[in-house]
Amino acid sequence: MPNTTEHWNKIFAAKADPELGWYEGDASQTLRFLEGIPHLESATVFLPGAGTSVLVDELLNRCHQLVLNDISDAALNKLKDRIQDNGKVVWLYHDMSKPLPKDCPLADLWIDRAVLHFLLEEPEIEGYFDNLRAVIKDGGFVLLAEFSPDGAPRCAGLDLHRYSAEEMAYRLGSQFTLIRQERFNYISPFGDQRPYIYALFQRRNSD
Ligand SMILES: C[S@@+](CC[C@H](N)C(=O)[O-])C[C@H]1O[C@@H](n2cnc3c(N)ncnc32)[C@H](O)[C@@H]1O
C-alpha cells in the first residue's frame, strides 16, 4: 500500500475525525512543547501534514501565520470548512518528500506530528529534510513527534519508519540543537498504546 493522496483521501472521506487512529481531542502535549518558544504571536508556523488536527485551531489563536500543508486535499478541504482562517493561512497541497514551491514562506517553527514516519525510502526522507532546512529560519524551531523505535510498526494501513531523537538529530544535521525530548504514550481512540518521541530542536544562527 503506497503513501499516496488516494490512500489518505479515502481515509479522510470515510471517517469522522474522532474515528481516526491518531485523533487527539486536545493538543496539549504539543502545546506544552511550544511554551518556551519566544514571540509565537509573530511567528510563521509550518505544518507539513496538518490533516484535520485540532492543533490548527489552537495555533490560529497563538501565531501570526500558518502554512498548512497536506498530501490529502480531502483533509485540507475538511479543515477549510472547519476553521475561520482570517487571512492567516497559506494553503499548500504537496508531497513533503518533493521540493516545495519556490514561493513557500519561510517559517519560525515547524511542527510535524505523525507525518515524517510515513516516508520510507531514503530519497523521500532526504527530500523532506531538504525542505525543512530550506524553510526554517536561522534561530527557528522544529518539533518532531513520531512513533518511537518500540512503537507500532504500522499506522493507517502503512508501514512506518520509527524514530529516536538521535536519528532525528542526525538527519536534521549539525545546524540544529536538541532542546528537549520526551517519550509520550498516546492512547488511540480504540484504546491502543502508541508510544511517540517528541523532540524539539533549534536551528543555530549562521554567522
Ligand atoms: C497520521 S496523520 C497526522 C495528521 C496530523 N498531523 C495530526 O496529528 O492529526 C498523517 C498526515 O500526514 C499526511 N501525509 C502523509 N504523507 C505525506 C506527505 N508525503 N506529504 C504531506 N503530507 C503527508 C496525511 O495525509 C495525514 O494528514
Side-chain angles (χ1 to χ4, degrees), residues 57-181:
D57 308 61
E58 298 286 348
L59 292 175
L60 274 171
N61 294 325
R62 289 173 166 79
C63 305
H64 173 64
Q65 185 182 45
L66 294 184
V67 184
L68 298 180
N69 179 68
D70 208 282
I71 199 173
S72 164
D73 51 335
L76 292 174
N77 287 336
K78 277 191 172 184
L79 211 43
K80 281 177 189 167
D81 286 346
R82 189 179 84 214
I83 65 169
Q84 292 276 329
D85 87 11
N86 294 330
K88 278 187 162 190
V89 176
V90 175
W91 297 96
L92 267 184
Y93 166 43
H94 190 80
D95 178 345
M96 281 311 303
S97 67
K98 308 273 169 29
L100 283 165
K102 293 269 178 283
D103 60 354
C104 178
L106 298 183
D108 305 280
L109 171 62
W110 176 286
I111 305 175
D112 177 328
R113 175 176 178 268
V115 185
L116 167 64
H117 62 199
F118 290 105
L119 304 180
L120 301 181
E121 303 297 329
E122 197 58 28
E124 296 175 337
I125 300 173
E126 283 173 14
Y128 174 100
F129 280 100
D130 286 346
N131 281 331
L132 185 159
R133 283 185 291 266
V135 160
I136 285 295
K137 298 176 190 172
D138 287 353
F141 292 84
V142 176
L143 175 61
L144 300 178
E146 316 298 334
F147 276 20
S148 66
D150 63 339
R154 286 169 67 80
C155 177
L158 299 172
D159 291 335
L160 302 180
H161 178 125
R162 291 165 290 177
Y163 280 85
S164 61
E166 289 72 22
E167 180 173 357
M168 293 169 179
Y170 169 75
R171 291 198 177 268
L172 283 165
S174 58
Q175 297 170 324
F176 290 82
T177 305
L178 177 63
I179 309 273
R180 177 179 165 198
Q181 64 164 303

Side-chain angles (χ1 to χ4, degrees), residues 12-30:
F12 283 109
K15 297 190 176 189
D17 288 353
E19 299 168 338
L20 298 169
W22 55 90
Y23 175 73
E24 283 188 313
D26 84 87
S28 50
Q29 169 64 15
T30 297

